[in-house]
Every structure is written in structure tokens, then in C-alpha cells.
Amino acid sequence: MTGPVAFFDGIGTAHSLPLIAGLDRAAAARGLRRQWTTAIRPPDAGDASCEWVPTRAFYGEFCERGTTAPFAYRSAWRHAIDRAADSGAAFFCDLAVEQLLGSQGTPLRVGLPAVWIVHQVPVPRDTRPPALRAKMLVANPTRWRRQARALHQRAVLRRLARADGRFVVPSEAAKDRLGRIVAADLIHVAAWPIASAAAPPQLATDAPDEVVAVFPGECRPGKGLDVLMQALPAVTGVDAFDLPSVVTADAQALVAAASDPRVRMGTSWATNEAYQEHLRAAALAVLPYRSAATSNAGISASLLDVLAVGLPAVITRPIAGGLPDGYGGAVVVEPDSPSALAAGIAKAIANLDELRGRARVEGPAFVLEHHTYERYLQTIVEAGAR
């Protein structure tokens, strides 16, 4: 590979720091030169073969204001593309193309080979008879906006494909869905990475002094925070509920309204090291994702974090597809139901030793086989250097 690999991450989500650090170390181990344009730079990443340039953390702005700045994002993205082209980059890789899909403005111009990481695939074109589509839109006026947004997102993806673009998605289901928008031979599948094969994460504590149930990742209504708060009065056997990152005001209001003394709430992003400590110190993870959580063919990186440390879990059916076949370290319940969630937690507490034993063996092994930074980087390089 003659030029550096140019990476762009303008989002700045909770997973950006470990993702960037993991990919950067994997690339350095392979001897690849890197050019990063990032919202957040990991404090211990990078070496002499790596160049870092900061950009705005647009996800942080979304958490504070409830909106993003699409034209500002386009400007940051354009600057990263221009830098990559000027440096003779082998290819450009956008680690989260969703913000670009939602941006407006003049037609996109890339100008060099590119790899686009698609976490949430837009809804494909509705192929039902026109009369039926019109009837549905008349009956559901709010769908007009969603239809228009999806139409724009699909158009952006097709433009990126025409501009020598390749796409990386997290699952075969996502590939099938994206294959209805762009040519299937442009799409590569790579399971989302959350661990390093060279330095896997430590396992969760064997026997914590208290039974702590942790809510992994960002705690918000879309992930079922409201369902958990409604279930709390019926939950017994748990000494504390650990919510490491309740960032948005609406999520904090939900927790305050529940007024359960067992809840420990963090109101800012935790560093990756601190987040891992929260997971390892817990006895149980609770992921009460709502029905629509993975309707866009995405995955739960928070569930993968739980598997990586061998932590037993109570999860809802929408994200159960992320479990290994025959996995014995989790209790799966129906979504959107406080009573079902409370019953699932009770079942997990009653069988905690068995769940822990299975989770410690099966979870980390699955993650190290399918979800490493080294494996993910290999897919990106193969897609970009074709």
C-alpha cells in the first residue's frame, strides 16, 4: 500500500475512543501509515507513523442540544477528504457515515477510493403497489417525513457508490438490506470490533460483595431506560443498579422520576477504562432494548462489551441475534414490558452461578473469534485496497 490510510470520525460517541485506539494499534502492528481526522483522540494512541488532526465532536453537540449541525459536519468531512487527497492516501475511510447521510447541500464529491462504515442501513425503496403506498401515507402522515429522509439517504449512498466507494456493514442482514440500494459486490461484512486479539479485556469479577446490575453503554429511552425504570418496583434481589452514562436531560429526568435509592447514575461519558471497570464490577448486565432498537439491521455494541468480559445478562429479543448460537449466559425476554423485564431479572438472579459459568467461557471466546480490531481492520484494508 503506497499511501497512508485516511480515517475520519467526526461523531465522538462512547465507542469512538476504544474503536480508534484499537484500529490504530492494529494498523501500527501491520506497519500501516495512518492519517486520522477525529473528534476525540485516545490519549495513548499513535506513533511516528501516525498523523492526528482534530475535528468537532458532533455527537456531543447532539447530546447537549438534541440536534446536529449538518452543514458543519459536511465542512469537517470535506476538509478530511481534501487532506487525504493531498497526502496521497491509499483510500479514505469514514467510520460512521450516518451523519453524512443526513446532511444536506451540494452533490458529494469524494475524488479518491473510499470505504464507508454503515451502522444503520436506511429503509430500502418501498416496492408495494402505488395505491397501497399512497393509502399508507394518507393514514400515517408522519411517514412522509421518514420517507423523504430515507429517499435522501439512499441517494447519498448511491452517489458514494458511483464515486468508487465500498461499504462495510456489521451483519449479513445489513448486507441484504444495503444490497437493495447499492450493488451487492460493493458491500463487505465485518462484525463490529470491541476487543483486541493481542490484549483481550479482563473478565468480570467472580463473586462481587453486592449484586450490582449494570446498564451498559449510553442509558436512554431508545435502549429501554424507561422500561427499566418502570420495572424497578417489582425487582428484588439486586442491591444496586449502575447506570454509568445517563447523558441526555430526558434520560436523567426518567431516572429522577423513578426515585429508586438503588440507582447509581453517572451523568457524563465514562472513559473506556472506567467503563470497563463498571462492567467487571457488576454481577449482571441488563439491556432492555425496545422493539425498534435494531429495525435498521444494526447491532448492539453494548451487548458485545458484555460478552467480552463474560458477564451474565438479561436482554430483550430485538438484540438476541447478537448472541452466539446456543449461548447459555443470558436470559432473553420480550421487549417493551416492565413485567417481563422484572421476571427476567428474577430468573437471572436465581440462576446467577450457572449463567456466570457459561458467560465466562462462551462470551469471550465468541468475541475473540469474530469481533476483534485486527479482523475489522483487515476487512477495511481489503475493501479499500481492491
Side-chain angles (χ1 to χ4, degrees), residues 11 19 94-98 116-121 168-170 174 192 296-299 376:
I11 303 298
L19 173 67
D94 188 328
L95 293 171
V97 74
E98 280 70 21
W116 309 99
I117 309 297
V118 186
H119 303 282
Q120 301 175 350
V121 181
V168 173
V169 295
W192 183 250
N296 49 29
I299 61 166
Y376 201 72

Side-chain angles (χ1 to χ4, degrees), residues 215 218-226 250-251 254 288-294 316 336:
F215 192 127
E218 181 193 358
C219 305
R220 52 184 170 83
K223 289 189 172 183
L225 177 62
D226 51 344
D250 59 338
L254 278 173
Y289 279 57
R290 303 301 298 267
S291 295
T294 54
T316 51
D336 311 321

Side-chain angles (χ1 to χ4, degrees), residues 33-210:
R33 289 185 294 139
R34 289 95 63 211
Q35 181 192 80
W36 284 95
T37 304
T38 65
I40 304 174
R41 174 180 176 173
D44 56 348
D47 57 21
S49 62
C50 181
E51 177 189 357
W52 296 87
V53 173
T55 188
R56 290 167 60 176
F58 289 89
Y59 192 76
E61 294 180 9
F62 171 77
C63 289
E64 293 177 5
R65 307 173 187 173
T67 59
T68 56
F71 287 101
Y73 186 87
R74 278 284 295 271
S75 177
W77 174 84
R78 183 75 263 165
H79 177 64
I81 286 279
D82 291 343
R83 286 185 58 246
D86 291 344
S87 67
F91 63 90
F92 175 85
C93 178
D94 188 328
L95 293 171
V97 74
E98 280 70 21
Q99 285 280 10
L100 185 62
L101 299 184
S103 68
Q104 307 293 327
T106 57
L108 305 170
R109 303 183 310 279
V110 182
L112 76 164
V115 177
W116 309 99
I117 309 297
V118 186
H119 303 282
Q120 301 175 350
V121 181
V123 177
R125 185 175 66 87
D126 192 343
T127 57
R128 293 176 297 179
L132 179 58
R133 280 182 280 155
K135 182 178 179 180
M136 293 292 293
L137 290 174
V138 169
N140 301 274
T142 58
R143 289 194 178 188
W144 284 100
R145 180 178 298 178
R146 293 199 297 269
Q147 292 275 356
R149 182 169 61 245
L151 178 66
H152 169 74
Q153 292 172 341
R154 294 194 299 267
V156 172
L157 287 170
R158 285 192 289 267
R159 289 193 200 110
L160 297 178
R162 291 194 296 269
D164 201 17
R166 298 294 186 272
F167 303 88
V168 173
V169 295
S171 66
E172 290 293 337
K175 180 179 180 179
D176 292 342
R177 185 166 177 166
L178 184 57
R180 295 168 59 187
I181 301 171
V182 303
D185 61 352
L186 302 179
I187 307 170
H188 301 254
V189 177
W192 183 250
I194 52 90
S196 170
Q202 299 177 26
L203 297 181
T205 306
D206 281 333
D209 295 331
E210 59 180 350

Side-chain angles (χ1 to χ4, degrees), residues 256-283:
S259 190
D260 191 307
R262 295 174 294 176
V263 175
R264 303 169 181 171
M265 177 174 60
T267 57
S268 62
W269 291 118
T271 65
N272 189 48
E273 291 74 18
Y275 176 59
Q276 291 293 321
E277 289 176 4
H278 282 275
L279 294 181
R280 290 195 296 269

